[in-house]
Amino acid sequence: MVGLILAAEVAFWLVLAGGLTVRYLLRRRRLGGALLLGVPLIDVLLLTVTAIDLRDGGEMSAGHSLAVLYLGFTVGWGHYLVRWADGHAAHRFGGAPRPAKPPRYGAARARHEWRLWGLTLVSVLIAVAVAQLLRWYISGPEADEGMVAAQWMALRALGIHGLIALSYTLWPKRPKEGEEQAASGAAPAGDEPPEVVWRAPDAGRRSGSPGGPESFGGSPGGGTPPGVWRRSDAERGR
């Protein structure tokens, strides 16, 4: 069973990569989309083989429990992973904008973590339900014990992920000092602000401008061209 689970995992990524290749490199968007829709069929095949093996007297092992957990994970997280891979493939090969990165700090990061926990919740509900169906279908003490163990493993994973999400809510992650300045665009303390330049498009070009360059900005001696006002001009006038 463990070998079958590994084969299903490899098949998941191969089908995903094949669908994206057809969709973006070969420019067959409908065919690529159809291949991506076929990803859940791998989970159905794995579940069917697991149920038949146990029904025909196969010895209950950790592999059967892992198959149930794997099925729940791919159902709960599969759409998220496919969308993530599709977004990056569209950016890399289809000219689409780069996918936005998840938030890193504060309440936005906490909300993101709770959304991910929601995916884990769906995964656990699927795994627990499938394990219960297998208990009723197989009706054996050994299978019953193994499926109960799988259910508890799924619930523990949900609890651990919930604690991680809760930690981002109670103790939100905050950017470091340098990152705060970069995000706000503020200049570091002690740095001089850049010299302000204000330019009038038509100043100095009109033949009737009285007073020459110094009447509209400009510096004596021609150091600053007409139509340009610099902070240094104001400082010289103090």
Side-chain angles (χ1 to χ4, degrees):
M1 281 303 302
V2 175
L4 184 60
I5 295 171
L6 293 177
E9 177 68 10
V10 172
F12 174 87
W13 291 106
L14 286 178
V15 173
L16 178 59
L20 295 176
T21 299
V22 172
R23 187 176 175 86
Y24 293 107
L25 293 184
L26 302 182
R27 308 295 182 183
R28 303 289 297 275
R29 298 186 64 85
R30 290 186 178 180
L31 179 59
L35 289 176
L36 294 178
L37 291 176
V39 170
L41 296 179
I42 301 172
D43 304 325
V44 175
L45 177 62
L46 178 62
L47 176 62
T48 303
V49 172
T50 301
I52 293 175
D53 182 58
L54 291 175
R55 184 69 174 180
D56 291 345
E59 184 179 354
M60 182 69 193
S61 65
H64 296 91
S65 300
L66 289 176
V68 172
L69 297 176
Y70 175 79
L71 173 66
F73 169 78
T74 53
V75 172
W77 281 79
H79 179 71
Y80 178 85
L81 294 175
V82 169
R83 187 175 58 183
W84 173 85
D86 184 66
H88 283 275
H91 167 67
R92 179 66 178 83
F93 303 109
R98 181 185 297 274
K101 294 182 178 181
R104 299 175 59 187
Y105 306 112
R109 175 61 183 270
R111 288 192 295 270
H112 174 72
E113 292 296 329
W114 282 115
R115 281 193 292 268
L116 296 184
W117 181 84
L119 300 180
T120 301
L121 175 62
V122 174
S123 302
V124 169
L125 291 177
I126 295 295
V128 169
V130 169
Q132 189 63 40
L133 291 175
L134 288 177
R135 290 176 63 188
W136 293 335
Y137 176 71
I138 299 167
S139 300
E142 186 179 357
D144 188 76
E145 182 181 353
M147 291 298 105
V148 170
Q151 290 173 330
W152 280 111
M153 289 175 61
L155 292 174
R156 283 197 295 269
L158 179 66
I160 293 173
H161 196 174
L163 291 176
I164 294 174
L166 183 62
S167 68
Y168 281 97
T169 303
L170 299 179
W171 301 283
K173 188 177 180 181
R174 303 188 182 280
K176 298 178 181 179
E177 183 178 353
E179 294 174 331
E180 287 180 344
Q181 292 176 347
S184 62
D191 286 359
E192 290 291 336
E195 187 177 31
V196 178
V197 177
W198 182 85
R199 183 180 300 275
D202 299 328
R205 298 180 185 176
R206 302 172 184 174
S207 58
S209 298
E214 294 186 23
S215 65
F216 189 84
S219 302
T224 303
V228 176
W229 183 90
R230 299 182 184 274
R231 180 179 287 108
S232 56
D233 297 332
E235 291 174 351
R236 280 196 296 268
R238 294 177 181 172

